[in-house]
Amino acid sequence: MNIRRHISTAALAGVSVLGLLAVTACSPAGGARTADGRLRVTASFYPMEFLARQIGGKHVEVTDLTKPGVEPHDLELTPRQTGQLGDSGAIVYLKGLQPAVDDAVAQSGNQHVADAAALTSLEKHGTEVDGHHHTTGDNHSHSEAEGGDDPHIWLDPVKYAEVAKGVNKTLAKADPDHRADYQKNTDALVKKLDGLDKEFRNGLKKRSSDTFLTTHAAFGYLAERYGLAEEAISGLDPESEPSAHRIRDLHTLAAAHHVSTVFFETIANPATAKALAGDLHLKTDVLDPLEGINGKSRGRDYFGVQRANLAALQKALGSK
């Protein structure tokens, strides 16, 4: 019995040493890098994936945890995806948008994490500002960050550029050999985002209304940047239903602010927006919160969809 126990212990010790050697051998080049040496980056949803690809370029392989056309707020992770977060060379995510991802990132122990929510300032949308009700409706959802902060920072090109600069720093720390390329790619991306900001500023300068109606309160930062007032049918949660009181408010608002259009989005169900528009004799159109890109998106990437959003806003607000 003792001999057998001694052999088992020795065998186990051998296995654990081998295991240790394997872990030591594969930690720099294993999960963190591809066979051809690129940095493996895990992104939580499309706007984070877009930044990682644009900045990382040919030096990274990016995996998006959220599949195209899936509502990111509702994402549930598979055990494989959870494991992938620990093995990745770097993670790019936005704390407060996807509870499942927040938990998995916290447990991953990964040293190279870019959290978009920490790279720019978050604000609460849903308070009365300048006499406008920048409201998020009656419903508060699990998709709000701590303290009711609005996570939709990527829809403001200026804030998105701030996040890009932070992602650059994380990739440079994770892969210092390609620091110069990451910087060059970031500079080019920030320049394009500055250009997009100017397009929005100029495109929305002369308009006959400031107020737009949308199903999902995703456009608070964009509205604030360009002096608009977003009125959401429901809240920050795209699936929540508005109360009768909220619907009455929207009737009054639409008349007072010469609202022409009720916006819905490509991923969520347009039924509520269409019902309200029918009720108020308004048009409907798409304003895309860019949480995912699929075949129905009005554009092939972040810039394409944002320009489609600008055109839709110009039309709805009577821009001249």
Side-chain angles (χ1 to χ4, degrees), residues 95-112:
K95 189 177 182 186
L97 186 87
Q98 298 168 287
V101 176
D102 294 354
D103 294 344
V105 170
Q107 286 160 23
S108 72
N110 199 308
Q111 296 301 298
H112 300 293

Side-chain angles (χ1 to χ4, degrees), residues 46-55 160 189 301-303:
Y46 176 75
M48 302 298 110
E49 177 203 344
F50 185 71
L51 288 183
R53 285 186 198 283
Q54 293 287 308
I55 296 165
Y160 199 45
L189 177 59
D301 69 358
Y302 175 86
F303 288 99

